[in-house]
Amino acid sequence: MTNDERLGKPNILLDFLEWFGELAQFCLRLVKAIVTPPFELRELLRQMHEIGTKSLPLVAIAGSAIGVVLSMHARDSMVRFGAKSLIPTLIIIAVIKEGGPIITSLVISGRVGAGIGAELGSMKVTEQVDAIEASAVDPFKLLVVTRVLACVLMLPLLTIVADFCGILAGWLANALIEPMSLQFFIVNGFQTVTFSDLFSATIGTLVFGLLIGIIGCFEGLRTQGGTAGVGRASTSAVVIASLFVILADVVIVRITILLFSH
Amino acid sequence: MQIKTVEANGNNSALQVRALRKAYGDQTVLRGIDLKIAKGEIVTVLGRSGSGKSVLLKLIIGLQKPDEGTIELFGTEVTQLPLNELNQVRKKLGFLFQQAALYDSLSVEENVAFPLRRHTRLSDAEISERVQQMLARVDMGKDLKKMPSEVSGGMKKRVGLARALILDPEIILLDEPTAGLDPITTKEIDELVLSMQKEREITAIVVTHDLSSVARLADRIVILKEGNVIVEGKPDEVKRSEDPFVREFLELS
């Protein structure tokens, strides 16, 4: 109970600072748990399947949709400037540098962040987390470390799938209006794509995965108050993770421009 | 790994609690509990709801930390132990939660197998055999593959009990093991605890409101009121207590 709850008045600033303080402690505990044995490899693989494999259809559809939308926008804009030859480049750069990573992260934030928040929240209020601890197993290692690592490892791979589907769908949408071979589209589009474009986007998705995993687990394990609390944890996990992903995107783009701009 | 042993603790003591105090905010739940339980003894803890019975069990197994006081398990003071050493002690304990706390993503069989998979090197076949034997003892042998959501509250309790017993613990902490169960199942659960006591000299702390269970199980009864032990003794001694609260509690139960 915070001081102001005792006094009967809400203090948003104090709650906000308390939340960040708890999050910082949670992150420190996470770092320590990641580097100390025992390592829950079997559970990590299970979570990679849950978070990664089962998200594939959703990510593929979202990636394809963003490819089609970018294709339509690119055509509309480039035709106005008489730069139709740049359409493949624009689509591919837009998908790789921003569309693929951010749409994958937001989709995973919704599907996985909410899932982790609800699952751990439910386990918390039904004493399953305590039961794991009573069985002489560290619930932090079993539940948190595995989920966070699975998010970090799977998000770059899912982003590659989204990028692939986005580029393919972008080509298809473009080719339906003006016939163009896939080979020409790819060769032309990738001419200006550099290693740093791919590298920075990949680093970004590692950070996004870390944020989604941490916020989902943190909100889940803070759950209080039965079923309603589980609902709140799930919603908080999605909202906060999505917001953090977008804010982190701003910072990462700025840093990569500073580091890799020619 | 070295675990500090408290010399003062008697050889025959499985658990000793001294001056245990726990508060949540302004609400003090335990106000300096002292309790000593011998190996092989079954102690039932009674008291009104909110008197600190479940908190006492959670403090003993280290799920919560006391504000003051010490807890010695097998001569080891556990309240200040680091997690890895505490987990070594926890392997000798079995805990049944009030709502059973089964892992809802695992089947009945997997729930009971969980401690074996984590702490033994038994093969899948050996684990399966031991799990089936234990589930048969709690009359759940036919429901191995069911999920917790598919079984009743009483069945969950029995699965929880099987999970608590599967590692052959030296001490079992049972939080209302027979609440919500029919009289026949209640008697079977009590008899299972008694048989474990006879076979393996298991020590048990049983939080319950069921006086028929108390009559069957208790070597000693502890009654808590507002965070204090107000009566402690053998069943006959407690029944003869002149304390008005104890008299009313036993008459109304």
Side-chain angles (χ1 to χ4, degrees):
Chain A
M1 188 187 286
T2 64
N3 290 331
D4 284 293
E5 279 170 340
R6 284 192 202 102
L7 295 171
K9 61 176 183 179
N11 188 327
I12 294 169
L13 180 64
L14 203 63
D15 288 347
F16 183 72
L17 292 174
E18 191 178 311
W19 186 88
F20 265 104
E22 286 179 22
L23 182 63
Q25 284 181 331
F26 187 86
C27 292
L28 285 175
R29 192 177 169 193
L30 176 68
V31 171
K32 195 179 166 194
I34 286 174
V35 297
T36 51
F39 303 109
E40 304 283 351
L41 287 177
R42 183 183 287 191
E43 179 64 11
L44 174 62
L45 289 173
R46 199 180 76 81
Q47 287 302 327
M48 285 170 73
H49 174 65
E50 286 290 326
I51 290 166
T53 318
K54 292 189 176 178
S55 299
L56 271 176
L58 198 61
V59 166
I61 292 168
S64 302
I66 208 75
V68 171
V69 170
L70 284 172
S71 171
M72 291 190 289
H73 277 308
R75 170 159 289 280
D76 183 47
S77 304
M78 293 298 105
V79 167
R80 278 191 227 170
F81 296 114
K84 272 172 35 178
S85 63
L86 290 177
I87 290 174
T89 307
L90 185 59
I91 293 171
I92 287 174
I93 284 187
V95 166
I96 287 177
K97 291 187 81 166
E98 190 59 36
I102 199 75
I103 209 71
T104 305
S105 302
L106 293 177
V107 164
I108 294 300
S109 172
R111 183 188 171 270
V112 174
I116 292 175
E119 186 185 12
L120 297 195
S122 172
M123 291 182 76
K124 176 85 186 305
V125 299
T126 55
E127 294 186 310
Q128 291 176 57
V129 177
D130 281 347
I132 292 173
E133 197 172 352
S135 298
V137 175
D138 184 353
F140 201 84
K141 281 180 180 292
L142 184 66
L143 302 176
V144 176
V145 172
T146 53
R147 281 164 176 76
V148 173
L149 285 181
C151 284
V152 171
L153 295 171
M154 294 316 293
L155 213 68
L157 300 178
L158 289 169
T159 302
I160 290 170
V161 172
D163 288 351
F164 176 80
C165 293
I167 290 169
L168 206 63
W171 163 75
L172 196 63
N174 197 47
L176 286 173
I177 295 168
E178 187 177 348
M180 180 188 292
S181 74
L182 179 61
Q183 188 187 9
F184 175 81
F185 184 85
I186 297 290
V187 170
N188 193 6
F190 272 96
Q191 264 178 355
T192 54
V193 176
T194 62
F195 174 75
S196 68
D197 293 329
L198 290 168
F199 180 74
S200 59
T202 307
I203 293 293
T205 56
L206 288 172
V207 176
F208 299 156
L210 185 68
L211 289 170
I212 293 166
I214 287 175
I215 298 296
C217 293
F218 178 64
E219 286 298 315
L221 289 182
R222 288 177 91 234
T223 303
Q224 288 179 327
T227 316
V230 175
R232 279 195 296 273
S234 177
T235 308
S236 303
V238 179
V239 172
I240 298 170
S242 302
L243 185 65
F244 275 28
V245 162
I246 292 165
L247 294 176
D249 192 32
V250 175
V251 176
I252 290 166
V253 168
R254 184 69 200 140
I255 290 172
T256 51
I257 287 171
L258 285 173
L259 289 176
F260 297 111
S261 64
H262 303 292
Chain B
M1 183 165 42
Q2 193 171 3
I3 296 175
K4 186 175 73 176
T5 301
V6 180
E7 296 289 341
N9 196 7
N11 288 337
N12 197 34
S13 173
L15 166 72
Q16 185 155 15
V17 166
R18 290 194 184 99
L20 202 63
R21 190 178 169 82
K22 179 71 181 173
Y24 301 96
D26 297 335
Q27 188 191 1
T28 303
V29 181
L30 296 177
R31 299 170 189 273
I33 298 269
D34 290 300
L35 193 63
K36 187 172 180 178
I37 299 176
K39 282 178 188 166
E41 192 178 18
I42 298 180
V43 173
T44 57
V45 182
L46 305 176
R48 293 184 65 177
S49 300
S51 59
K53 306 182 296 294
S54 297
V55 172
L56 175 63
L57 295 190
K58 287 182 178 176
L59 291 173
I60 290 170
I61 203 166
L63 292 176
Q64 296 178 15
K65 294 281 180 196
D67 298 330
E68 290 171 25
T70 59
I71 299 167
E72 290 163 24
L73 288 163
F74 319 105
T76 302
E77 211 289 290
V78 295
T79 56
Q80 302 300 323
L81 282 182
L83 184 62
N84 57 343
E85 291 180 27
L86 178 61
N87 278 341
Q88 297 303 317
V89 178
R90 279 175 172 158
K91 288 177 192 172
K92 300 177 189 173
L93 305 181
F95 195 107
L96 171 62
F97 286 79
Q98 206 171 76
Q99 305 298 329
L102 299 185
Y103 310 127
D104 52 19
S105 59
L106 302 181
S107 69
V108 163
E109 183 180 24
E110 289 166 336
N111 260 279
V112 180
F114 182 83
L116 289 175
R117 292 200 188 283
R118 305 298 310 200
H119 301 304
T120 69
R121 293 181 181 277
L122 296 174
S123 68
D124 285 352
E126 288 167 321
I127 287 175
S128 179
E129 189 185 339
R130 282 186 63 172
V131 168
Q132 285 181 34
Q133 283 172 357
M134 185 52 76
L135 282 169
R137 292 193 74 168
V138 294
D139 200 19
M140 287 293 294
K142 294 175 185 168
D143 302 291
L144 293 169
K145 302 297 175 193
K146 285 187 176 170
M147 298 303 285
S149 59
E150 296 170 325
V151 300
S152 71
M155 291 160 99
K156 283 180 189 168
K157 274 276 172 69
R158 284 185 271 158
V159 178
L161 183 62
R163 188 176 66 185
L165 294 171
I166 194 72
L167 281 179
D168 292 336
E170 293 178 41
I171 298 179
I172 49 173
L173 309 170
L174 309 179
D175 196 351
E176 300 195 23
T178 57
L181 299 185
D182 62 87
I184 295 170
T185 311
T186 297
K187 188 167 175 257
E188 287 170 357
I189 295 288
D190 291 343
E191 283 169 354
L192 174 64
V193 175
L194 285 170
S195 70
M196 299 295 279
Q197 181 201 28
K198 280 181 190 157
E199 287 168 23
R200 299 172 198 168
E201 210 190 347
I202 207 167
T203 307
I205 305 173
V206 185
V207 167
T208 183
H209 293 292
D210 186 341
L211 286 193
S212 64
S213 279
V214 174
R216 275 191 288 268
L217 292 175
D219 294 319
R220 200 147 50 94
I221 296 172
V222 172
I223 298 185
L224 297 183
K225 183 188 176 190
E226 293 168 1
N228 292 304
V229 175
I230 57 163
V231 172
E232 179 187 353
K234 292 184 175 168
D236 289 345
E237 294 167 355
V238 172
K239 281 176 192 166
R240 289 197 299 270
S241 170
E242 296 297 323
D243 186 284
F245 173 79
V246 175
R247 294 236 58 83
E248 186 183 7
F249 190 86
L250 294 179
E251 282 165 16
L252 293 176
S253 294

